[in-house]
Amino acid sequence: MYALVDGNNFYVSCERVLRPSLQGRPVIVLSNNDGCAIARSNEAKVLGIAMGAPWFQIQRELPDAGVLALSANFTLYGDMSSRMMSIAAGLGPDQEIYSIDESFIGVAGIRDMTRRSQAMRERILQWTGIPCGIGIGMTKTLAKLANHVAKSAGRKPGSYPVEFARVANLATLPASDQDAVLQATALGDIWGIGRRIGEQLRADGLETALDVARQDPTTVRRRWSVVLERTVHELQGQPCVGFETVAAAKKEIACTRSFGRPIEQLKDLIEAVTDFCSRAAEKLRKQDGHAVQLLVFIHTAPFRPQDRQYSRSVTVPLRRPTAETALIAASAIRGLKAIFKPDYKYAKTGVMLLDLQDASVEQGELDFDDPGRDRGPLMSALDAINRQHGRGAIQPGSAGMTGAKRQWVMRQSLKTPNYTTSWADLPVART
């Protein structure tokens, strides 16, 4: 038995915790450089604003709708996510954090899950200010579908019975009622069925979740894939997707950004690449890994044909597998200098750490040019200081002076100011 806890319009909800005056207003959160909508309030959805809609288009089509756009504040969202997940963990003995706003909870053997989930939802709202929906099912796919039902029943009257609003427990429904819920759910709302496979299924006359659930799994595997076969089994109540209490180590780690303005100077690109290496190396150390090589790239804006176009990347092998920020940054800068060409207006750069391996794997060789110092404690101290005092408190010198105006940073002119990480200082709803 699984429960899925999912924050409603999560980024917008986080902003509303800081600014309660945003309640009831159409609000959207924009992507990097304030480009397009990546989160929408219910009021914005009613206006027809689509996910991914460009901000300039929204401004042109809805000039008098009072839509408020905010620059993304991922530091805030990550902090609020940690708070929400720590509370949601009390719903059951096992937790798998699936994304920044979703977590699966193992709830097998717990009595009256509907009442318990309603109490947990109220607690999350009271303690963090984040509204959420909770879906419960015999499999993760059914829990995901139940969560869709829980949110849709309140937002779209008539789509599902009103008693399913906020908390939907499909496990307590008789077979006929569960079939009715599946019949009311469009095929595209099933977890794991994307646009392309959805088009193929509709071409075969399948339109709803119930149509998919009634398929023969063996036939589905033969005609489509084993992944879709597992989805059919899950819709039929047979668990096929495992529970992961520990996230799998990443095979690649990337940090890339588009600039808020065109960059032409090598020194600005070096600052950006150094900053990205610092972030990527910190993530690598967090999973106790080492990188064998890295890739660095730069390119101009492909949608500005009036500018000269240039795009180049290079893979740089590391002499030894490492997670040390200084060594990774130095190698990335060497690669950057090799591919940089002057007199171009660069729009984006990035770093990818490749061929990741466990830090316990050691390369046996004679260290003729290394004094043999173990820099692991130094990197641990660096990470601890940056966690306490904020990202970038300590960085390699090639990242530039802390607090100095950097030419390569993203455009975030609509960001909510004065964010604090103090739980006690947040204006949280208490009713």
Side-chain angles (χ1 to χ4, degrees):
M1 182 84 73
Y2 300 91
L4 178 67
V5 182
D6 182 11
N8 296 344
N9 311 323
F10 185 70
Y11 293 171
V12 171
S13 295
C14 291
E15 297 287 352
R16 284 175 166 173
V17 171
L18 290 186
R19 299 170 60 181
S21 61
L22 300 181
Q23 296 289 346
R25 294 187 58 183
V27 179
I28 62 173
V29 173
L30 300 175
S31 61
N32 292 344
N33 292 306
D34 298 341
C36 60
I38 57 174
R40 304 156 295 157
S41 67
N42 290 340
E43 296 81 4
K45 293 175 183 178
V46 169
L47 293 174
I49 298 176
M51 181 68 79
W55 173 227
F56 74 86
Q57 179 181 335
I58 297 170
Q59 289 177 300
R60 184 180 66 235
E61 297 179 355
L62 300 169
D64 302 319
V67 179
L68 178 64
L70 299 172
S71 300
N73 186 343
F74 293 110
T75 302
L76 167 64
Y77 309 149
D79 184 45
M80 295 299 293
S81 173
S82 298
R83 301 174 186 195
M84 189 181 95
M85 298 306 174
S86 66
I87 300 170
L91 187 59
D94 299 310
Q95 181 182 40
E96 174 189 342
I97 297 177
Y98 181 67
S99 68
I100 193 170
D101 61 344
E102 296 175 283
S103 76
F104 287 102
I105 309 293
V107 293
I110 298 178
R111 296 182 179 179
D112 201 350
M113 269 308 304
T114 302
R115 178 179 296 181
R116 184 181 179 92
S117 297
Q118 290 170 340
M120 179 56 67
R121 183 188 178 278
E122 292 171 1
R123 180 180 298 175
I124 292 173
L125 179 62
Q126 183 181 22
W127 290 8
T128 70
I130 303 295
C132 66
I134 300 180
I136 306 163
M138 295 299 296
T139 68
K140 292 172 78 171
T141 301
L142 285 174
K144 188 84 170 177
L145 188 148
N147 184 268
H148 166 76
V149 171
K151 293 197 292 185
S152 298
R155 190 173 69 242
K156 302 176 182 177
S159 57
Y160 297 100
V162 67
E163 59 267 24
F164 292 151
R166 300 182 177 86
V167 174
N169 189 349
L170 300 186
T172 62
L173 299 179
S176 58
D177 290 352
Q178 184 163 313
D179 285 351
V181 171
L182 294 177
Q183 181 66 37
T185 303
L187 184 148
D189 292 325
I190 303 173
W191 186 39
I193 295 184
R195 180 181 59 81
R196 182 174 299 179
I197 191 66
E199 291 174 353
Q200 297 176 19
L201 294 174
R202 292 186 191 93
D204 265 31
L206 307 182
E207 296 291 340
T208 69
L210 183 61
D211 295 334
V212 177
R214 286 178 172 174
Q215 296 302 301
D216 174 59
T218 304
T219 302
V220 168
R221 180 174 185 172
R222 184 173 63 251
R223 294 192 58 185
W224 285 286
S225 68
V226 66
V227 175
L228 187 58
E229 178 195 20
R230 286 199 294 265
T231 298
V232 172
H233 279 302
E234 290 252 323
L235 289 174
Q236 294 173 349
Q238 303 172 31
C240 293
V241 181
F243 200 82
E244 299 180 6
T245 55
V246 179
K250 296 180 179 179
K251 298 181 180 179
E252 296 179 354
I253 294 177
C255 187
T256 69
R257 293 290 187 275
S258 296
F259 304 134
R261 51 178 292 183
I263 296 298
E264 300 182 58
Q265 301 299 317
L266 176 61
K267 67 178 184 62
D268 294 324
L269 291 174
I270 289 176
E271 287 186 4
V273 165
T274 302
D275 183 82
F276 299 163
C277 286
S278 298
R279 299 188 186 196
E282 182 180 355
K283 293 178 181 178
L284 180 60
R285 292 191 291 270
K286 189 174 293 185
Q287 71 176 43
D288 197 23
H290 281 168
V292 176
Q293 57 184 347
L294 62 86
L295 179 145
V296 59
F297 71 86
I298 51 176
H299 67 70
T300 54
F303 303 109
R304 291 180 59 87
Q306 66 271 30
D307 294 340
R308 298 171 62 207
Q309 296 297 304
Y310 178 74
S311 176
R312 188 77 183 272
S313 66
V314 63
T315 299
V316 182
L318 298 170
R319 181 169 183 180
R320 298 181 181 88
T322 184
E324 186 178 340
T325 298
L327 296 178
I328 290 173
S331 297
I333 291 171
R334 285 198 300 271
L336 175 65
K337 289 180 177 179
I339 61 176
F340 173 79
K341 286 187 176 182
D343 303 322
Y344 284 94
K345 296 181 178 180
Y346 294 101
K348 187 174 184 179
T349 188
V351 175
M352 295 181 63
L353 304 184
L354 308 174
D355 293 345
L356 307 187
Q357 64 182 37
D358 192 272
S360 62
V361 179
E362 294 187 7
Q363 179 175 321
E365 60 178 293
L366 297 176
D367 288 335
F368 291 113
D369 59 345
D370 194 317
R373 292 179 299 169
D374 179 11
R375 294 185 175 87
L378 175 62
M379 293 296 101
S380 297
L382 183 148
D383 292 341
I385 292 172
N386 285 335
R387 282 195 299 270
Q388 181 175 356
H389 297 283
R391 176 178 291 167
I394 296 182
Q395 285 187 312
S398 54
M401 295 295 293
T402 302
K405 185 176 182 181
R406 293 171 169 175
Q407 301 297 317
W408 53 269
V409 296
M410 294 186 298
R411 183 171 61 252
Q412 293 183 306
S413 58
L414 303 173
K415 190 173 181 179
T416 299
N418 301 326
Y419 165 60
T420 173
T421 56
S422 172
W423 188 310
D425 292 340
L426 287 175
V428 175
R430 297 294 179 185
T431 58

